Amino acid sequence: MKRVATYTFLLTLIFQLQIEKAEAQPVSDSLLLNSPIYREKLHLFTDRSLYASGEIIHFRLHNKSHDLLKENSWSTVLYLELIGNHNIPVAQGKYQLDPKGATGQLLIPDTVSTGAYHLRAYTKWMRNFDASDYFHLPLTVVNPQKINRSEMPKFDSTQAAITNPLTSHEVVSCSLERVSYGNREKVTLQINLEDTASLKKGYCVSVIKKGYLDLDFSYTPHGDIEDQIKTGEVLFYPETRGISLSGRAIRDSDSTPMAYTPVHITLLGPESDYFGTVTDKFGRIQFSIPSVTSPTELLITSSSKSGEVIDLILQDEFSQDFTMPSFTPSNVLNIRQSLVNEMGTYSQVAKPFITSGADVTSTEEKESEYSFYGTPEFRYKTADYIEIPNLEEFIFELVPKVQVEKQNRQKYFSVLDDAGPISEFAPLILLDFVPIPYVEAILSLAPEQIEYIDIINTIYIRGSTNYGGIISIVSKKGDLAGIKLPEGSSILTFNPLNKMEEMKFIDYDHQKFSKRIPDLRTTLHWSAQNKFLSGRQNTIEFFTSDVSGEFIAVIRGMTKKGTIVQGTCEFTVK
Amino acid sequence: MAFLFNAMNAQVDTRSEKEFLEAKSHFNRSYGTDYNLLNGRQYYLLYSSISHPFLYSDQYRSEKLWLKGVSYEGIPINYDIYKQKLILQYMSYSGEAKQLILNEELIDRFILNGKEFRRLSFPESGSGFFQVVSSGDLSFYFSWEKTMFYSPTSNSTPYNYTQPSRKAYLNKSGQLHTIRSRSSFTNAFDKKYRKNINHFIRKEQINFRSSTDESISRLMEYCKELTATQ
């Protein structure tokens, strides 16, 4: 017992030192919330404004924040949501945000109804401010199976012609060899950048059916005109180190915040991992989740010294604050009825021929080859040994580097290195990567429920914690071998950053395609990060599809001062 | 007046930057330590008073490292070529410099003293860290090691480390060839190239035991050009 108490004291001391160091907040919440420097600003371009359900939205996001924030990775995660009627998100994604901004795709689910939607983009830090600070962009989605004319927004004539005062059409322009092309024909787009152009890189290029992109749209966040002093505390920390989990630990009985309380986080599934952290003096949890590549279940649990039940209240992954964007719902549905009908037709005809879209929500599960501790010093596969009634006897008979000891009627594990028991630190005991406090319950497990036991018999360092070795038990079914989870545990789905997929376009010069399979692309080209040289040396090649009509190439970029640079040129496909 | 105004602005900017960096550092710390980086077994140095087990120096240098796809810059690391382990130096909360062994299975690559090392696995040699001299379909690696020897007569510690020694490998079309001599290198190529390669080796006076990385790199470029064009 004395030994257990010593471990607890040491762990608490280490945790407290760590947290107190972190808690000495150098800059006041008031300054952070009121200084214009800390007001992040984003601007988003998409390939189109009109989509069919099941299609992919391609986007390019510019970070317009103050250079200090932008260049020093204040926020490294971008949140993007497609919001429908009644502020219901129909698609969500998280993306890597860097000084250049972000690029990526968001898949529109097949099941959404035809109607007006908007994309909104924000960072976790921006959630400290009004939701009107988020970037909003109106979009229209057509689902031929789900058109309800009565729900279509009414056209507001006062919003029909929004001019964009920030746009400069002068420095970038484009031209084509011809004004008319046939189906499946190669087009060479010449992009001309004037010598005076200060912006040379970061351009996005979209070649689309004319009318599918609202070129005149401009969004001004309310924050630009708001100058009320904000009071209160910083609730959402900037994600300086990738996606984070935030929340509070409270005592179940009276909701008191639990300071300096250990919190255990386990990634379940193929990328199993364990992280131990601790709450701060206000009972807050701030935890940056290391690299995870696919959506995974996450088990979060806490333990108190006195055995009290602790509830962990986590912040929502995505913002729950909504605002009425400063634009009326897209009028495309009404004023461009023919385009909507056409989009619906293309979508229906193309669907049977679509083999796969860009993989933006892939849930491909790949078993991680190694655990976080790499190759263990010892691995005991229970199937390799004779039948033994329980794990206590298995360990006693076959695992010499682990001892089960007893003090004051309580059993505990001890790991031995070459010199004997490692007494400086308590070992980490994991069952399916979940730290289980019930030693007796583990010892009474039947070995046939267990796949293997890994032993690391040396001091192990993970994050800020030192462990006196690791005993990692993995059950055959991955179900904790029937042992109940500690009270107050919760399981949630953790979605990592969306994968960046390079958009691949059809190349009729090098690939063979059957004439019988229709090519109904309305986005002929999209590239999000182009660098151009001054003069006429910049070319982009693409192929037309089987869709005929008027097309437009749109080149857009944003200067450091936030001015949109835009050039367009048109052609016909017959 | 304009000078005063500019000076005041500069002062505000410096203050803002200082505040920003302090705030950023505070939020960074609030997330705790990096679990991807601070992850490994405690390192024990088998001490010798006159030698060390590291490749270049016993000093930890700020280098670049890739772990599970995440890149880190300015990380104090060292390569123990006796144990074949990459060691990370970190500060404990008491301010003491400590070392841990990074799990080699999770290391993608690292740069040490301007040289790139990768963890590679070949049926012929097993897995381990290799210095990449030339990469691609035709690649060239060195593996480094030190051994420990017993010297009871010396006035220092009885155990000491040897000087680093290297083994050279040529990886051609996925097959690893151990290079011990000029002929073992040329024999890895098709007969029609051997004469030219031999000539180049003689002309450049390349010795696989002692030549610099740059010389080997030039040889590899020559071989790549030769095999690509003919």
Side-chain angles (χ1 to χ4, degrees), chain B residues 114-133:
Chain B
K115 300 185 194 307
E116 184 188 348
F117 293 82
R118 283 177 186 264
R119 186 173 185 272
L120 300 169
S121 185
F122 298 102
E124 298 88 345
S125 69
S127 53
F129 293 120
F130 290 84
Q131 183 201 334
V132 182
V133 181

Side-chain angles (χ1 to χ4, degrees), chain A residues 43 48 93 118 191 205 235 307 317 352 357 436 450 505 534 554:
Chain A
H43 190 97
R48 305 204 303 255
H118 66 268
I191 292 154
V205 177
L235 293 175
E317 227 179 342
I436 298 290
I450 304 304
F505 290 93
S534 297
V554 185

Side-chain angles (χ1 to χ4, degrees), chain A residues 451-464:
Chain A
E451 184 71 37
Y452 60 83
I453 302 170
D454 282 348
I455 307 294
I456 285 88
N457 69 325
T458 184
I459 292 175
Y460 199 93
I461 299 109
R462 188 89 206 267
S464 54

Side-chain angles (χ1 to χ4, degrees), chain B residues 9-209:
Chain B
N9 265 348
Q11 214 172 27
V12 169
D13 284 352
T14 316
R15 203 186 67 204
S16 301
E17 193 171 341
K18 189 168 171 269
E19 279 169 356
F20 167 81
L21 293 172
E22 283 174 351
K24 166 111 196 275
S25 164
H26 162 71
F27 288 122
N28 251 339
R29 281 199 308 270
S30 72
Y31 290 118
T33 45
D34 188 325
Y35 288 77
N36 195 38
L37 185 64
L38 251 75
N39 177 29
R41 290 151 177 84
Q42 192 167 70
Y43 175 66
Y44 300 97
L45 173 68
L46 297 171
Y47 182 72
S48 159
S49 59
I50 55 161
S51 59
H52 61 76
F54 303 104
L55 176 55
Y56 298 112
S57 146
D58 58 357
Q59 298 298 306
Y60 284 76
R61 302 164 59 106
S62 288
E63 298 283 5
K64 201 166 179 183
L65 167 72
W66 286 260
L67 270 176
K68 281 183 87 179
V70 182
S71 71
Y72 296 91
E73 270 189 80
I75 302 294
I77 52 171
N78 213 339
Y79 179 19
D80 179 335
I81 56 171
Y82 170 67
K83 288 186 178 173
Q84 291 298 325
K85 303 286 182 195
L86 185 65
I87 315 300
L88 169 81
Q89 180 160 281
Y90 66 99
M91 285 293 167
S92 70
Y93 280 101
S94 57
E96 193 185 346
K98 292 197 162 187
Q99 294 84 28
L100 62 82
I101 301 168
L102 290 165
N103 293 322
E104 60 245 47
E105 298 89 349
L106 312 179
I107 298 168
D108 304 321
R109 59 194 172 113
F110 61 93
I111 308 285
L112 197 66
N113 207 19
K115 300 185 194 307
E116 184 188 348
F117 293 82
R118 283 177 186 264
R119 186 173 185 272
L120 300 169
S121 185
F122 298 102
E124 298 88 345
S125 69
S127 53
F129 293 120
F130 290 84
Q131 183 201 334
V132 182
V133 181
S134 175
S135 58
D137 283 344
L138 196 59
S139 44
F140 196 94
Y141 311 115
F142 284 128
S143 72
W144 292 89
E145 65 173 14
K146 277 186 179 182
T147 51
M148 199 182 240
F149 64 93
Y150 186 59
S151 54
T153 52
S154 87
N155 294 327
S156 57
T157 45
Y159 288 97
N160 287 303
Y161 299 96
T162 57
Q163 285 300 306
S165 66
R166 71 183 191 191
K167 280 183 186 161
Y169 298 95
L170 173 73
N171 181 16
K172 189 171 171 288
S173 312
Q175 201 191 336
L176 196 71
H177 303 262
T178 306
I179 306 301
R180 292 193 182 85
S181 61
R182 198 177 290 172
S183 60
S184 60
F185 182 84
T186 48
N187 287 344
F189 291 87
D190 199 86
K191 272 183 186 167
K192 62 180 175 181
Y193 303 124
R194 287 180 192 166
K195 196 177 163 191
N196 286 340
I197 294 172
N198 236 326
H199 179 73
F200 187 91
I201 291 173
R202 277 168 206 267
K203 194 182 82 183
E204 296 283 321
Q205 296 180 323
I206 290 170
N207 180 322
F208 290 101
R209 287 179 196 278

Side-chain angles (χ1 to χ4, degrees), chain A residues 104-260:
Chain A
Q105 305 96 0
L106 186 69
L107 179 69
I108 305 170
D110 262 338
T111 49
V112 300
S113 302
T114 298
Y117 291 79
H118 66 268
L119 263 184
R120 63 176 194 165
Y122 55 90
T123 64
K124 195 168 193 175
W125 173 252
M126 287 168 82
R127 289 168 66 180
N128 287 301
F129 305 93
D130 196 87
S132 59
D133 264 18
Y134 307 170
F135 184 80
H136 293 82
L137 183 72
L139 297 178
T140 303
V141 179
V142 179
N143 185 343
Q145 312 295 330
K146 290 188 177 181
I147 296 185
N148 182 354
R149 302 262 168 212
S150 64
E151 279 194 14
M152 285 189 188
K154 295 284 178 286
F155 173 52
D156 178 354
S157 60
T158 59
Q159 296 286 326
I162 306 166
T163 52
N164 191 340
L166 295 171
T167 306
S168 161
H169 289 263
E170 288 153 19
V171 290
V172 65
S173 59
C174 57
S175 56
L176 296 148
E177 296 153 315
R178 306 198 318 254
V179 291
S180 178
Y181 293 85
N183 293 128
R184 303 191 182 200
E185 196 179 340
K186 189 193 261 182
V187 180
T188 304
L189 178 70
Q190 189 87 43
I191 292 154
N192 317 304
L193 202 63
E194 291 190 5
D195 292 338
T196 53
S198 59
L199 184 68
K200 301 263 194 290
K201 53 190 177 182
Y203 283 96
C204 62
V205 177
S206 185
V207 184
I208 42 162
K209 191 92 196 288
K210 199 177 169 190
Y212 280 32
L213 176 64
D214 191 354
L215 284 170
D216 295 325
F217 175 76
S218 163
Y219 179 72
T220 309
H222 294 164
D224 279 5
I225 48 170
E226 183 190 62
D227 52 0
Q228 280 178 335
I229 300 292
K230 275 184 84 77
T231 54
E233 61 172 322
V234 168
L235 293 175
F236 299 95
Y237 282 23
E239 292 183 304
T240 55
R241 282 185 16 205
I243 301 174
S244 63
L245 267 185
S246 315
R248 277 175 201 273
I250 55 168
R251 189 157 47 208
D252 183 65
S253 55
D254 60 0
S255 299
T256 307
M258 298 296 288
Y260 308 120

